[in-house]
Amino acid sequence: MKIYIDGNFFEKEDAKISVYDHGLLYGDGVFEGIRAYEGVVFKLKEHIDRLYDSAESLALKIQLPKEKMEEIVIETLKINKLTDAYIRLVVTRGVGDLGLDPRKCKYPTVFCIAEPMEPLLGEDGIKVITSSIRRLPVDVLNPAVKSLNYLNSILAKIQANYAGVHEAFLLDSEGYVAEGTGDNIFVIKNSVIKTPPLSSSVLKGITRDTVVDIAKESGYKILEEKMTLHDLFVADEIFITGTAAELIHVIEIDGRVINEGKLGSVTKDLSQKFKEIRSKIGRKVY
Ligand SMILES: Cc1ncc(COP(=O)(O)O)c(CNc2cccc(C(=O)O)c2)c1O
């Protein structure tokens, strides 16, 4: 595997960044997780737009134009001859003396990893718990910014691991359901689809947006609405969405079995429609 770092490609074992990189020292940076299917990078423009918005929100100036950043992703896939891949694109504040002041860093570090990833066949559903760790409030560290600060999610994931389940859901500071550690949440009740609004401390997931569009085009009633754990406990169906996860149904939450532990018809329909389009919307590599 060849890794892109600041204009050059390195073999995996030689792909290193400085210990003075503020991305490492302080989590000062942003990233995107992107997927390519059959030689098409799914919604590459949308991912690059979100990356630059996240950077802008942190006053992190990316000198490279968006077009160049897109080419970095394409070139990284080409040099590794990948068609179905998971891509990690990272921009840090850059190398600077010790001390968190961003002005110590003269220019950002940019690196891109691409690894083979077969499209998920749709796991057999997941069990989740509700974490006691609350999602960061929008006025503390806005989850809309996809930063390198993932400890909030990691602490919740540790709780899921100890509970022996796949995933943890986080509530926002008001107690409403926010999102998973690396995924958005959808709930179906009486054929109405709901997903937490951005004001519930969630990342505006690109898969989430795609599923909302598919649902609307399919004629479903879909709402962005604050939800409580009660809404999830009595749901007909629950599923999560994310670039890595795609769509995966939840079979149990905090011990409550959902839809008898089976894949629901709405989730199945949306998942099939997502699989149909995932290699058709985006940027061709070859
Ligand atoms: C907190 C959070 N919420 C929602 C999503 C889903 O967004 P997208 O539909 O745009 O992917 C994410 C993104 N989730 C994500 C992205 C990259 C890597 C990993 C990982 O688990 O290694 C997880 C995320 O990190």
Side-chain angles (χ1 to χ4, degrees), residues 1-2 4 31-37 39-44 47-48 50 69-78 80 82-90 111-117 146 243-244 283 285:
M1 298 311 293
K2 292 194 185 331
Y4 172 93
F31 82 98
E32 281 295 323
I34 309 168
R35 284 187 75 169
Y37 299 95
V40 175
V41 186
F42 183 64
K43 291 199 170 181
L44 177 57
H47 279 284
I48 298 295
R50 187 171 66 183
M69 194 64 82
E70 279 202 26
E71 289 315 309
I72 289 169
V73 172
I74 298 299
E75 287 310 309
T76 306
L77 288 165
K78 279 182 175 172
N80 291 296
L82 292 169
T83 55
D84 290 89
Y86 183 82
I87 302 134
R88 179 59 58 87
L89 179 60
V90 180
F111 65 85
C112 185
I113 301 166
E115 295 182 345
M117 183 165 189
K146 198 169 172 60
T243 293
R283 167 81 188 270
V285 180

Side-chain angles (χ1 to χ4, degrees), residues 209-227:
D209 290 351
T210 306
V211 168
V212 168
D213 292 345
I214 291 172
K216 285 178 179 168
E217 286 152 21
S218 305
Y220 288 105
K221 184 174 180 187
I222 179 158
L223 305 167
E224 289 189 28
E225 194 173 279
K226 282 185 179 292
M227 285 184 278

Side-chain angles (χ1 to χ4, degrees), residues 192-211:
V192 176
I193 307 170
K194 292 182 183 177
T195 191
L198 301 187
S199 56
S200 280
S201 287
V202 304
L203 177 74
K204 193 172 187 299
I206 286 167
T207 318
R208 172 185 181 274
D209 290 351
T210 306
V211 168

